Amino acid sequence: MSLPASVTLHTYSPDALAAVRALHALAFRQLAAGHHDESQIAAHEALIAAPDYAADLARSHLILARHGEDGLIATAGWLVLEDRPHTARIRKVFVHPGWARRGLATALVRAAEQAAATAGYPNLYVRANINAVPLYAALGYRAEAQGLMPAGKAELPVVYMSRPAG
């Protein structure tokens, strides 16, 4: 899936922090609402607002998708997994609700996968929020286990998924 010509990709920098936080909170609140209760959504929003989120973004090799009149519309990134050789974890995949289901998540996940592979991490892993499992399954990821992601006072259901190189 390719990006529309009007969408440009950028590397994350700290000056984008406020826009990234706003996008992540909005996307989760609206696109994951059918899979999470209000306490889980609020807990996830608290994680996004926490001071250490900035450092988390900075180490996530985050790719930003921007559209001229809409600004920041999507993100995706990757992080080296120390406990799995040659493996990167795909993360921080969020799409503005107004741009959902247009192929942005697919294009950005593929861009993050390519960047990780170029850096020497061809095997891929994801801790998928329950609402994102169909996306990752369609991209060739296979479920390894179900789990819960701690989110302050709540836990979010997740599925751990992987895709080998190739």
Side-chain angles (χ1 to χ4, degrees):
M1 174 84 40
S2 62
L3 294 169
S6 60
V7 174
T8 57
L9 299 183
H10 305 269
T11 302
Y12 173 77
S13 63
D15 63 323
L17 176 61
V20 170
R21 284 185 201 253
L23 171 68
H24 289 184
L26 175 68
F28 193 79
R29 175 161 287 282
Q30 290 191 18
L31 299 176
H35 300 276
H36 300 285
D37 65 31
E38 183 57 36
S39 68
Q40 291 170 320
I41 292 170
H44 195 270
E45 288 175 336
L47 289 176
I48 292 167
D52 60 347
Y53 201 67
D56 193 28
L57 295 174
R59 71 173 184 263
S60 294
H61 303 282
L62 203 62
I63 301 165
L64 310 179
R66 295 185 185 276
H67 180 267
E69 59 190 52
D70 293 335
L72 181 64
I73 58 171
T75 67
W78 63 277
L79 182 70
V80 173
L81 282 181
E82 301 296 333
D83 61 338
R84 288 184 176 221
H86 310 292
T87 302
R89 180 175 148 211
I90 301 299
R91 62 198 320 255
K92 306 294 184 202
V93 179
F94 291 91
V95 175
H96 188 284
W99 281 82
R101 292 165 186 68
R102 295 191 201 181
L104 281 174
T106 295
L108 285 177
V109 168
R110 293 297 191 218
E113 291 172 345
Q114 181 59 49
T118 299
Y121 302 95
N123 299 312
L124 303 163
Y125 185 79
V126 66
R127 179 181 67 195
N129 282 310
I130 200 73
N131 60 294
V133 170
L135 166 70
Y136 291 109
L139 294 174
Y141 288 76
R142 299 293 172 247
E144 291 184 2
Q146 293 185 1
L148 295 171
M149 179 182 101
K153 297 177 182 178
E155 294 180 316
L156 306 176
V158 295
V159 176
Y160 298 94
M161 304 175 81
S162 63
R163 188 169 73 77

